């Protein structure tokens, strides 16, 4: 074999289909061979005792740049991603939504040189008059957006889609093969609950699960799934918070719907009643639902079985100061890009998942859903050399002080975890080591699959 740029030797390569001792050879940023290799390498890395996983693909991330850079920006958010072992994100920010091809192009130019990992960008769907939706969807998809973000309820200043607007949007996406990420909470139910809670003078943390209750999520997810099936549109239901939603979506998949169920660590690790003590620091929606170890185990089982199809962080950071005030007024959202891969690796130590599941749920599956496969999310010749070298035995503690996001805190502060990415490679470049990101803003825009369409 001719000289390669990088040879990662002696590690255990993990993909969704299994694990084996193998070397990984990289040339010009791509994997050229995987196996027992005899090659001269410019750089040789001994991965003995380490796992070689595909770099994380986090498909639901808000880096607020441009838009709300007092909360996060691309340099800080993508340094945190690289340190955690994440090499590709699909980003969208509600403060500066992308609604036109010109806005997409401007955002791509602005972000060039601002990202430490590769990034795709999503557009926001906007409820519009009949006849206006299809053209905008087709133009944006062909310009290379990663997906369309859709709200069923007005949230973060983005207007919600009622049934008619949602159906119009999904039909337009079905026509061009585009995929949507739908935030599912029924607006009439959340509005009604809000009015009652405000009339009662409530402003305690405990109001959150009443305001954003299970019914609101189930109703919106059900409607979305039915319209997805009947339109043929490809849809991910965002941040599925509990098993009833996941199981309903799986039933619609069996009926032919092209629908996926994303979840996030906060629906695996946090408890519904934490918001009473932690208030604004647990204000995200849908809120945490688990009430017991059994509830938590049920969510992990659904992930293992593929009923919940993939994991994202839904990283939506705010600093401690920005989280201070009335629970009605502070931002929704949690920081998560620092902690999602650590949480999944730790779930292996806790026997909820296998490493193969981690490779599937946080790399391969989202790469496939969003058309990044077979360039991102796998370890085989032809893929970008995006790799996380993981020490499976590293025991460490998640701490506020270690969070690289501008948020500067984590809901998992104090949690002891096992397993850590100790080296992260982006297209063969070492972009983080031992939790410390390199200052290397080599991240590139990765256009969505629609751009290849004629
Ligand atoms: Zn989100």
């Amino acid at each position: 074999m001719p000289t390669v740029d990088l040879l990662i030797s002696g590690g255990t390569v993990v993909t969704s289909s299994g694990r084996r001792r193998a070397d990984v050879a990289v040339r010009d940023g791509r994997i050229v061979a995987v196996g027992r290799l005899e090659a001269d390498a410019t750089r040789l890395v001994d991965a003995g005792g380490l796992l070689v996983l595909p770099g994380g693909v986090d498909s639901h991330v808000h880096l607020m740049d441009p838009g709300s850079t007092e909360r996060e920006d691309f340099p800080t958010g993508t340094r945190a991603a690289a340190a955690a072992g994440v090499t590709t994100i699909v980003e969208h920010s509600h403060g500066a939504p992308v609604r036109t091809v010109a806005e997409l192009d401007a955002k791509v130019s602005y972000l060039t040189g601002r990202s430490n990992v590769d990034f795709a960008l999503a557009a926001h769907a906007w409820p519009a008059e009949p006849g206006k939706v299809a053209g905008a969807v087709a133009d944006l998809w062909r310009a290379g957006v990663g997906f369309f973000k859709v709200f069923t309820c007005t949230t973060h200043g983005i207007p919600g889609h009622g049934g008619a607007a949602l159906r119009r949007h999904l039909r337009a996406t079905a026509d061009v093969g585009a995929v949507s990420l739908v935030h599912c909470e029924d607006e009439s139910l959340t509005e009604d609950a809000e009015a009652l809670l405000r009339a009662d003078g409530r402003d305690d943390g405990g109001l959150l699960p009443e305001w954003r209750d299970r019914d609101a999520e189930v109703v919106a997810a059900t409607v979305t799934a039915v319209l997805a099936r009947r339109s043929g549109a490809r849809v991910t239901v965002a941040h599925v918070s509990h098993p009833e939603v996941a199981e309903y979506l799986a039933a619609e998949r069996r009926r032919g719907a092209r629908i996926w169920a994303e979840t996030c660590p906060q629906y695996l690790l946090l408890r519904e009643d934490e918001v009473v003590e932690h208030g604004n620091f647990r204000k995200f929606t849908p809120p945490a639902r688990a009430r017991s170890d059994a509830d938590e185990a049920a969510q992990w089982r659904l992930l293992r079985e593929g009923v919940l199809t993939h994991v994202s962080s839904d990283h939506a950071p705010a600093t401690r100061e920005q989280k201070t005030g009335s629970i009605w007024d502070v931002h929704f959202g949690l920081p998560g890009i620092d902690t999602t891969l650590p949480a999944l690796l730790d779930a292996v130590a806790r026997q909820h998942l296998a490493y193969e599941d981690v490779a599937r749920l946080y790399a391969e599956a989202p790469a496939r859903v969003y058309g990044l496969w077979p360039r991102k999310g796998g370890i085989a010749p032809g893929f970008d050399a995006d790799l996380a070298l993981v020490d499976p035995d590293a025991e460490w503690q998640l701490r506020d002080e270690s969070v690289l996001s501008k948020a500067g805190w984590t809901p998992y502060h104090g949690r002891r975890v096992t397993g850590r990415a100790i080296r992260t490679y982006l297209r063969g470049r070492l972009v983080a080591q031992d939790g410390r990101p390199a200052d290397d803003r080599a991240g590139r825009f990765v256009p969505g699959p629609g751009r290849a369409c004629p």
Side-chain angles (χ1 to χ4, degrees), residues 60 62 92 94 149 156 183 239 314 316:
H60 185 167
H62 309 286
H92 68 290
H94 310 310
K149 179 61 175 286
H156 318 291
H183 178 121
H239 37 56
D314 192 9

Side-chain angles (χ1 to χ4, degrees), residues 330-369:
V330 298
H331 300 296
F332 282 110
L334 292 177
I337 197 117
D338 297 75
T339 50
T340 296
L341 188 57
L344 292 175
L345 295 172
D346 185 56
V348 179
R350 296 165 66 212
Q351 301 187 319
H352 288 305
L353 298 178
Y355 289 116
E356 288 84 348
D357 296 320
V358 178
R360 172 173 56 87
L361 293 164
Y362 198 48
E364 178 174 333
R368 286 181 183 275
V369 170

Side-chain angles (χ1 to χ4, degrees), residues 19 46 94 147 173 187 212 376:
R19 65 185 85 175
D46 177 3
H94 310 310
F147 61 74
T173 59
E187 179 140 291
R212 323 296 298 212
K376 302 293 191 185

Side-chain angles (χ1 to χ4, degrees), residues 28-30 55-61 63 74 77-79 81-82 85-91 111-121 337 372 375-377 383-387 424-429 431 440-447:
D28 298 330
R30 297 233 177 164
V57 176
D58 196 325
S59 53
H60 185 167
V61 175
L63 297 189
F74 251 76
T78 60
R79 280 164 53 87
V86 172
T87 47
T88 303
I89 59 170
V90 189
E91 198 276 343
L111 291 176
T112 301
R114 283 181 76 72
S115 187
N116 288 45
V117 301
D118 283 355
F119 59 97
L121 296 172
I337 197 117
L372 306 171
R375 185 168 160 199
K376 302 293 191 185
F383 278 82
D384 283 353
D386 297 344
L387 302 165
T424 307
Y425 291 91
L426 174 69
R427 287 179 274 104
R429 300 162 77 109
V431 292
D440 182 4
R441 298 191 189 168
R444 290 182 191 154
F445 174 59
V446 185

